[in-house]
Amino acid sequence: MHQPIRAFIEEQFLIEFGDDFPEDTDLFRAGVMDSFGYVRLCRFLEQTYQFKFAEEEMTSNILVSLTRMEQFVDHKVSRGRAASG
Amino acid sequence: MCGIAGFFQLPQHPGEHAATVRGMLSAIAHRGPDSTGYYVDDHCAFGTTRLSIIDINSGAQPLSDETGRYWICYNGEVYNYLELRAELEAKGRVFQTRSDTEVVLQAWIHWGEACLRKFNGGYAFAIYDRAAAELILVRDRFGKRPLFYTTGGPGFAFASEMKAFFALPDFHFEQDVDQVQSILAQWTPLPHQSGFRHIRNLPMGCWMRVTTGKVEERTYEALTLEPSSTVASEAGALDLIRERLADSVALRLRSDVEVGVYLSGGVDSAIVALLTCDRAKGRVRTFSVEFDDAKLDESKEQRLMAEYLGTQHLGVRVSHGDIATQFPAAIFHAEIPAFRSAFVPMYLLAESTRQAGIKVVLSGEGADEAFLGYDLYKETILRAEWNTAPEQVRRARLAQLYPHLGHYQPQDIAAITGLYHQFAEEKIPGLFSHELRLQNGRFSARLIRSQDDPFRAMREMVRATDGYAALTAVQKAQWLEYKTLLAGYLLSTQGERMTMAHGVENRCPFLDPAVVDAACAVNLRFDDGFTEKRLLRQAFRERLPEAIVNKRKFPYRAPDGAAFAAAPPDYLELLLSEAELSQIPYLDSRFARSLTKKVLANGASETSTKENQTFLFLLSLALLHRMFVKREGMPRRRVHSPVERVIDLRSGAAGYDSQGNFASVT
């Protein structure tokens, strides 16, 4: 489920997650995330997992690390399933 | 406009001095193809390669005072030299020439350091005081003209361009890893940075005194963004802008040769061209860069403006292939790692300008810094109020900010909200305005295998600047733009170094201190800053075509990675070969190779700005390493500047080779 996110970040930002670069690394502080890259990442998540970000959700640092993104996507997808079920 | 170079107390036999200074001047002969002259004695040698613009016949250099105690080598122009000359003559000073060079020398002799604040222009010069055995070096207040110096060896040497140091005995270029990392992260060097170890750029607004065993650097003019007076009404503001700019252009038209104008297609250079035509006696000639790529090309507006003013216009069309072919030569002239390819078309434009017989051009640089033309200023205002502004205000501001950026779409509003939330509070002390840019710069800094903070030097610079902390967020943004992107790239790599590669001098009316002062007096007084340069446009609205005056800021750019992907030049081997990359020990070669492959494989639309920037940085670093550190692959183009004046005051001069010994004038 999460593999596409990891692959997208690794390809977009030319990094490899692992012991040297853990999944909970703050991508801004590590100098990996740039402004346009952030916007593209948002678009990618919306398209891949079929949801829309709400502006208010964006003020809780949900996209600063791979770990946070995965947690947020899980939450969004499960809420979407519950709503449709 | 010229090139200057020299040295003081170089540990070599005086018999070698003349050859060494000739070698230094020869390396920068492109800056002054009209003539070369130098002074040499047992301790000091310096000279000028001259581009004759004012007092063509009697303005030869080096030039001395009537006693022969003071000698000057001078690069650039002090535009208000006629007024200063009148002032000095009234005080009894006698002049031998009509040149501004002599005015600068006499002003220094008469007023000392206090003369520097009187100078309005773009210049760098060296004065040697034989009696005191001291060398004075000065650079203009905005960093229009370059002046590098090295204390790396046992002696002291300086030059308009670093390539002159090739001629110094036992001198070796070495890229400075800390500086390179800093340049990559900031986009441009800080005022003192050169990218090489033991070479320092004399910062703008500074002067220095070099005596035996001592080098002192001092500031004569700190950048101030506080206006000298207030403006009561918008009508008064518009009058002030018109008056100051007209005066500035008039001063910059002082020349004994024809002056042309670079037309970018934007409003700034259109205003410069308009005011030039107001003053010019004949038909003005204008010059522009055109691109095949419609996303980058502004030829429609350039031609519209040329037709509107009736100028004789030349558009120089630049292809992807031109950029790839000319990149090594252009970066050799730039000498500093570059984050864009946009300087290469300017190199070609200068070549065509010179071929058309023009030695001096006016251009619009400096308008965006003075009159808040960049999105950066709006971003800064918005980010500063982000946490307190109502949602509808934030949305309205974002819509004003990004209409021209094709890659941000309306549905991205949530993403941009998240981004701004990340950057709503200052994280790097003193650098709030630039934190989004610096974040993108961190990606480029990953080219360097270093764990150091790439912003350390920048933080220290603002911390050590008196009065900086008291500036508003927008003023801090302006201050940083003047000190980094403007001086470190727009005026140098994309400006002066490209025009001077072909012996063309560029002059910038928006960098007149009176114009900057006027801008400071009116900025954000009569609007919220979200219509960029509103007052400047308003001031000339009735005199410019609507399509020009209403044109939104269109950043001048050229094809970046795409230019090299389309037809990869041979020298890309520097990046693709592991053996080549490994010769640059500080590079993260794995990251460098991944980036190169990605940029060359992807199309222009798939390559992000940060990737393009990083690729251009990598390519320029590799080429600079090859040409400067390894001394290989330098451009073959050589310019000969005939030696016309030699002042040889060495104690054993009769026995030395000084090529046409001009003998003492004392």
Side-chain angles (χ1 to χ4, degrees):
Chain A
M1 160 108 177
H2 298 141
Q3 182 56 30
I5 309 177
R6 170 188 292 260
F8 181 86
I9 293 173
E10 289 186 338
E11 200 269 334
Q12 276 296 311
F13 302 110
L14 298 175
I15 54 152
E16 281 181 32
F17 288 105
D19 292 342
D20 294 341
F21 201 89
E23 296 172 1
D24 60 355
T25 304
D26 183 321
L27 298 173
F28 281 102
R29 288 198 184 142
V32 167
M33 189 92 85
D34 68 301
S35 50
F36 184 45
Y38 183 90
V39 173
R40 286 179 82 158
L41 176 65
C42 291
R43 280 187 208 157
F44 167 79
L45 292 174
E46 287 184 335
Q47 285 164 10
T48 306
Y49 297 100
Q50 298 295 303
F51 66 78
K52 294 296 287 181
F53 284 110
E55 280 174 64
E56 58 271 19
E57 288 169 335
M58 305 306 279
T59 57
S60 53
N61 298 336
I62 51 178
L63 300 183
V64 295
S65 70
L66 176 60
T67 307
R68 296 291 310 270
M69 282 176 229
E70 290 173 349
Q71 289 167 350
F72 179 78
V73 167
D74 287 346
H75 168 71
K76 262 312 222 197
V77 170
S78 63
R79 269 184 53 188
R81 280 191 192 127
S84 60
Chain B
M1 182 68 143
C2 312
I4 59 174
F7 54 84
F8 182 68
Q9 299 195 328
L10 209 60
Q12 65 177 7
H13 189 277
E16 307 293 325
H17 283 0
T20 301
V21 78
R22 278 202 306 272
M24 294 179 81
L25 292 167
S26 170
I28 56 170
H30 49 272
R31 297 180 65 89
D34 293 334
S35 66
T36 290
Y38 59 89
Y39 165 99
V40 56
D41 68 17
D42 291 336
H43 311 287
C44 176
F46 67 151
T48 308
T49 58
R50 184 169 179 236
L51 183 68
S52 313
I53 289 170
I54 290 176
D55 195 4
I56 292 168
N57 295 325
S58 64
Q61 299 184 38
L63 191 143
S64 78
D65 69 323
E66 67 279 12
T67 70
R69 172 178 169 176
Y70 297 95
W71 289 87
I72 184 169
C73 287
Y74 170 69
N75 163 214
E77 315 288 342
V78 169
Y79 305 117
N80 58 337
Y81 74 104
L82 292 176
E83 291 76 9
L84 293 172
R85 179 181 174 128
E87 209 177 321
L88 286 161
E89 283 176 331
K91 292 177 186 300
R93 307 296 308 190
V94 177
F95 288 82
Q96 307 162 55
T97 71
R98 289 195 304 114
S99 71
D100 58 335
T101 309
E102 191 179 6
V103 174
V104 170
L105 179 63
Q106 295 280 6
W108 177 265
I109 295 168
H110 188 76
W111 287 304
E113 179 193 350
C115 76
L116 303 178
R117 299 195 67 183
K118 294 173 182 278
F119 293 165
N120 178 3
Y123 52 83
F125 61 86
I127 290 176
Y128 183 52
D129 178 347
R130 291 180 63 207
E134 69 176 23
L135 185 66
I136 303 296
L137 298 176
V138 182
R139 192 162 175 228
D140 68 77
R141 69 187 76 196
F142 291 110
K144 276 285 294 167
R145 308 298 166 216
L147 193 54
F148 296 93
Y149 68 91
T150 176
T151 51
F156 174 92
F158 68 91
S160 299
E161 295 181 19
M162 293 184 274
K163 53 183 72 67
F165 299 151
F166 280 129
L168 292 173
D170 301 321
F171 185 89
H172 303 285
F173 282 94
E174 183 183 347
Q175 288 171 316
D176 184 312
V177 183
D178 288 343
Q179 283 191 39
V180 168
Q181 189 196 24
S182 172
I183 292 168
L184 265 51
Q186 294 149 190
W187 293 12
T188 70
L190 300 179
H192 68 279
Q193 291 177 328
S194 70
F196 291 104
R197 289 192 73 193
H198 305 306
I199 301 179
R200 190 173 161 89
N201 203 349
L202 180 62
M204 63 285 276
C206 287
W207 70 283
M208 60 193 299
R209 173 179 279 125
V210 184
T211 52
T212 303
K214 196 171 176 188
V215 174
E216 298 170 87
E217 204 177 279
R218 295 181 192 171
T219 301
Y220 68 87
E221 177 82 27
L223 175 63
T224 174
L225 298 170
E226 290 303 323
S228 60
S229 59
T230 56
V231 178
S233 66
E234 180 163 325
L238 301 181
D239 285 341
L240 183 69
I241 292 169
R242 283 189 285 259
E243 179 192 314
R244 296 270 175 97
L245 270 170
D247 289 347
S248 173
V249 168
L251 269 184
R252 282 157 184 78
L253 289 175
R254 285 180 172 172
S255 163
D256 291 341
V257 298
E258 182 183 351
V259 178
V261 180
Y262 275 179
L263 269 183
S264 71
V267 69
D268 310 330
S269 62
I271 291 169
V272 170
L274 172 77
L275 296 173
T276 301
C277 290
D278 284 350
R279 288 265 174 176
K281 293 186 180 77
R283 192 179 180 198
V284 173
R285 284 198 275 174
T286 49
F287 302 85
S288 301
V289 167
E290 300 177 353
F291 292 110
D292 293 333
D293 186 340
K295 284 186 191 145
L296 305 169
D297 184 56
E298 295 180 84
S299 59
K300 189 174 148 203
E301 289 85 359
Q302 292 159 357
R303 290 175 186 184
L304 167 69
M305 197 60 213
E307 281 170 25
Y308 176 80
L309 293 174
T311 64
Q312 184 182 333
H313 187 67
L314 176 66
V316 177
R317 202 146 196 92
V318 176
S319 68
H320 282 39
D322 293 331
I323 289 175
T325 304
Q326 298 296 331
F327 191 87
I331 198 72
F332 178 70
H333 281 280
E335 301 185 328
I336 304 277
F339 71 117
R340 292 177 183 161
S341 71
F343 63 102
V344 184
M346 300 309 288
Y347 177 77
L348 294 165
L349 181 65
E351 183 178 38
S352 296
T353 303
R354 183 62 199 236
Q355 283 169 357
I358 291 285
K359 280 184 180 180
V360 180
V361 290
L362 304 191
S363 63
E365 276 87 14
D368 289 318
E369 291 74 11
F371 289 96
L372 309 181
Y374 294 129
D375 284 344
L376 173 79
Y377 302 117
K378 291 183 267 186
E379 268 178 21
T380 300
I381 295 169
L382 178 54
R383 286 171 47 229
E385 65 183 21
W386 187 259
N387 287 333
T388 54
E391 187 182 323
Q392 63 269 31
V393 171
R394 297 198 311 224
R395 273 180 170 255
R397 298 283 210 213
L398 283 174
Q400 282 177 288
L401 245 170
Y402 295 121
H404 68 298
L405 289 178
H407 54 230
Y408 286 131
Q409 297 160 13
Q411 64 267 32
D412 292 326
I413 194 83
I416 295 174
T417 298
L419 187 68
Y420 270 67
H421 179 74
Q422 289 289 333
F423 289 91
E425 288 174 4
E426 183 169 274
K427 292 176 188 152
I428 311 174
L431 304 179
F432 173 77
S433 62
H434 280 57
E435 284 185 9
L436 263 169
R437 177 187 298 178
L438 298 180
Q439 182 66 28
N440 294 359
R442 285 181 193 273
F443 186 82
S444 298
R446 287 173 57 200
L447 283 173
I448 310 299
R449 283 194 285 109
S450 166
Q451 299 297 314
D452 290 346
D453 173 9
F455 307 119
R456 183 174 48 80
M458 201 176 188
R459 282 192 289 106
E460 285 174 3
M461 176 180 74
V462 298
R463 188 179 51 76
T465 300
D466 290 339
Y468 180 84
L471 297 176
T472 66
V474 171
Q475 285 175 322
K476 284 178 181 165
Q478 267 185 296
W479 193 94
L480 288 168
E481 285 298 277
Y482 275 110
K483 298 292 183 184
T484 59
L485 187 64
L486 180 67
Y489 176 78
L490 297 172
L491 295 180
S492 48
T493 294
Q494 191 173 289
E496 207 262 7
R497 260 17 69 78
M498 296 304 106
T499 56
M500 290 311 291
H502 299 285
V504 176
E505 170 179 305
N506 60 336
R507 300 178 174 183
C508 305
F510 284 98
L511 288 179
D512 190 302
V515 172
V516 175
D517 179 59
C520 292
V522 304
N523 283 341
L524 304 179
R525 284 285 317 281
F526 306 102
D527 55 47
D528 62 6
F530 270 78
T531 303
E532 76 268 7
K533 296 183 285 195
R534 187 186 70 84
L535 286 175
L536 179 65
R537 293 170 196 272
Q538 203 60 23
F540 292 93
R541 178 168 296 280
E542 289 176 8
R543 299 202 59 207
L544 292 174
E546 205 179 318
I548 299 289
V549 85
N550 290 331
K551 190 182 172 204
R552 207 174 182 282
K553 173 73 186 167
F554 185 93
Y556 163 66
R557 300 293 298 273
D560 287 315
F564 302 89
D570 292 346
Y571 59 81
L572 274 189
E573 190 61 16
L574 289 172
L575 311 187
L576 296 170
S577 150
E578 183 140 10
E580 291 284 353
L581 270 182
S582 67
Q583 294 188 39
I584 311 176
Y586 58 80
L587 278 184
D588 181 338
S589 56
R590 189 169 162 195
F591 177 66
R593 267 201 313 282
S594 305
L595 174 82
T596 303
K597 282 180 189 162
K598 189 175 178 193
V599 169
L600 295 180
N602 287 350
S605 61
E606 287 300 306
T607 305
S608 70
T609 304
K610 72 174 190 302
E611 288 164 347
N612 268 319
Q613 287 184 190
T614 309
F615 175 75
L616 267 296
F617 265 139
L618 175 62
L619 186 57
S620 49
L621 278 172
L623 284 164
L624 290 171
H625 183 270
R626 185 171 80 169
M627 294 188 282
F628 281 80
V629 178
K630 295 172 69 183
R631 300 195 184 205
E632 294 173 3
M634 282 178 263
R636 290 202 182 133
R637 174 176 168 265
R638 298 291 286 183
V639 175
H640 177 65
S641 176
V643 175
E644 291 190 352
R645 172 172 287 201
V646 177
I647 310 297
D648 193 340
L649 302 183
R650 288 175 291 180
S651 47
Y656 299 146
D657 159 38
S658 59
Q659 206 177 73
N661 193 336
F662 203 80
S664 166
V665 295
T666 55

